[in-house]
DNA sequence: AATATTGGAGAGTAGTACTATCCAATAGGG
DNA sequence: CCCTATTGGATAGTACTACTCTCCAATATT
């Protein structure tokens, strides 16, 4: 198909497709002449994947590029690919600025937690870094997470990880599996977050509330006065 | 304290503090003269909260502003505040573009799921919208989530929501509770995400891997050859 | 008195993700 | 073969976010 058809079928403007082509988020089409290339169903699938990642999961294009590079590497096995996907999707918290006492304590808490859980995590894992960063931030705000809480969250996280991997079938063709891996990493995250928020709403209503939330924004001009019935 | 001390104690540049003051992310200090204002410990706390939200949770400043507006409203009870925090932190997926069949199906799946779970969620809840959006994206990519999977994730989400609310004590002074609510919404999200990724790594190693991941970036010069931009 | 700091305002910058315009080379219909 | 539309390729421009820098006159500090 031509670029205009690719645009029509995906709902993405031609200019944006050209941009993705330039940015190596979409492989070039097969050049038919100097002014025409042919795009396949694979291109359409890839484009839809990129759009889902951009629109729904809000992954920056740079990280999407990294993931796709790994996806397109036929050498990588499933386990390694999952690792790359994780690496690409997680923002590395970079320099801990050295001698931050809160960071040190967070490092210690994290190491202890992982040891108790028996999880083997790479020392330089970005997820580990993110965990330390979050714990350090909580320390700094004066509300450090208790080991019990962390264990509780870890148990829930472990349950979701099992579910994540349940839908990855190593016997399927690589293409399909790869898509599954990437969508699992990114879109299931969104799903899980949304479910958690909905569960919070329900649980909050049960504990201290009087029904579901009123969803008005506290935008400029008030509108705050008309909150839940009193 | 003066602005320079606020800067030194928080590690945030003076220029950024001024910017936050302009953007109403930080209340003005008590004006002592035409060229000086006094800032309190509250300002420092607020500044640290904003930084944690920006750096760790990557919440856009606009959303932070919304949350803070709700936080500073003494009228709001805990339940309502939690609702505002959720509303502010979630990006609304906006217009479903009307007659998208995938969206319709996702709407249906979501409604059914919530009905089965017995969760009372507001029709216009942003979390609900986000869930529909994620499910619709998965549909579009050809890998719709099964009801069983969704129920599994929902159970895990419910567990975390219980933990989230366990650390909110309605008997505490409002200031402390409010901080707790906001950090719970945002920073625990990061914590949970990180834990899920670590659990994935561990579980993936158990199922198909041979140990923890090697964390090399597929960046230029890495194991994966770079893009063909010549 | 000399130097530093502050509040306030405005302009400038860097990064991200497009969007628009231009152009010459075709493609496709008549 | 002619004419219009489309395409690839390149470049420039836009909108938004989150700062960062500069300037200034009025203080504060030494």
């Amino acid at each position: 198909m031509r670029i205009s058809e690719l645009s029509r079928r995906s709902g993405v403007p031609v200019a944006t497709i050209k941009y993705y082509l330039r940015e190596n988020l979409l492989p070039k089409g097969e050049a038919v002449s100097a002014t025409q290339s042919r795009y396949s169903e694979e291109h359409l699938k890839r484009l839809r994947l990129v759009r889902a990642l951009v629109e729904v999961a809000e992954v920056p294009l740079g990280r999407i590029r990294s993931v796709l590079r790994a996806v397109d590497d036929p050498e990588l096995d499933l386990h390694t690919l999952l690792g790359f996907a994780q690496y690409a999707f997680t923002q590395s918290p970079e320099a801990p600025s050295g001698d931050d006492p809160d960071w040190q304590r967070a490092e210690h808490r994290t190491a202890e937690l992982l040891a108790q859980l028996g999880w083997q995590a790479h020392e330089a894992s970005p997820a580990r870094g993110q965990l330390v960063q979050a714990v350090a931030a909580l320390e700094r705000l004066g509300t450090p997470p208790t080991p019990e809480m962390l264990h509780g969250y870890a148990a829930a996280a472990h349950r979701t990880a099992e579910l994540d991997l349940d839908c990855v079938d190593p016997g399927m063709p690589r293409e399909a599996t790869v898509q599954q891996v990437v969508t699992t990493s990114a879109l299931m995250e969104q799903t899980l977050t949304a479910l958690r928020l909905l569960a919070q709403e329900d649980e909050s209503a049960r504990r201290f509330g009087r029904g579901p939330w009123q969803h008005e924004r506290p935008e400029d001009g008030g509108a705050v006065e008309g909150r839940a019935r009193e």
Side-chain angles (χ1 to χ4, degrees), chain A:
Chain A
M1 77 188 87
R2 294 175 297 179
I3 200 171
S4 55
E5 193 180 345
L6 189 60
S7 168
R8 195 180 42 74
R9 288 231 271 158
S10 63
V12 179
V14 172
T16 304
I17 296 176
K18 283 183 173 184
Y19 171 67
Y20 287 170
L21 253 17
R22 277 200 298 284
E23 293 292 314
N24 293 305
L25 292 161
L26 204 58
K28 289 190 190 41
E30 186 200 348
V32 167
S33 80
T35 65
Q36 213 135 17
S37 297
R38 200 159 301 279
Y39 301 93
S40 66
E41 291 295 320
E42 288 309 304
H43 285 93
L44 183 58
K45 271 190 204 163
R46 173 59 56 95
L47 186 53
R48 282 207 248 256
L49 178 59
V50 171
R51 288 311 296 179
L53 259 26
V54 167
E55 282 178 355
V56 184
E58 298 198 295
V59 181
L61 296 187
R63 284 182 209 162
I64 295 177
R65 195 186 297 116
S66 299
V67 173
L68 295 181
R69 211 158 24 214
V71 158
D72 291 335
D73 184 348
E75 301 281 297
L76 298 183
D77 62 296
L78 219 57
H79 181 59
T80 312
L81 180 58
L82 199 51
F84 276 128
Q86 180 190 116
Y87 205 124
F89 284 145
T90 314
Q91 87 274 27
S92 310
E94 49 76 58
S97 70
D99 52 345
D100 187 342
D102 290 311
W103 190 277
Q104 303 272 308
R105 236 172 305 153
E107 274 277 16
H108 183 255
R109 272 174 199 274
T110 300
E112 199 167 31
L113 176 70
L114 293 179
Q116 283 170 10
L117 291 167
W119 292 358
Q120 338 167 307
H122 195 280
E123 182 68 23
S125 165
R128 196 178 186 284
Q130 193 174 315
L131 179 55
V132 173
Q133 192 192 28
V135 171
L138 287 164
E139 299 253 12
R140 210 165 294 134
L141 292 172
T143 55
T146 65
E148 293 74 43
M149 277 178 56
L150 287 175
H151 276 277
Y153 283 106
H158 183 250
R159 181 77 199 99
T160 69
E162 285 177 336
L163 290 164
D164 292 337
L165 296 183
D166 280 346
C167 65
V168 175
D169 177 4
M172 287 181 72
R174 194 173 179 284
E175 279 298 309
T177 315
V178 155
Q179 176 111 329
Q180 195 74 34
V181 163
V182 173
T183 55
T184 291
S185 292
L187 294 183
M188 278 307 176
E189 173 73 37
Q190 292 291 308
T191 306
L192 188 58
T193 298
L195 283 170
R196 174 166 168 256
L197 291 172
L198 290 168
Q200 277 182 6
E201 175 167 356
D202 185 67
E203 193 65 22
S204 174
R206 262 177 237 286
R207 294 196 189 189
F208 4 86
R210 305 160 309 279
W213 286 321
Q214 300 308 309
H215 281 289
E216 313 146 32
R217 272 176 198 277
E219 216 68 44
D220 318 84
V224 177
E225 69 257 289
R227 69 197 185 284
R229 60 229 144 84
E230 206 115 5

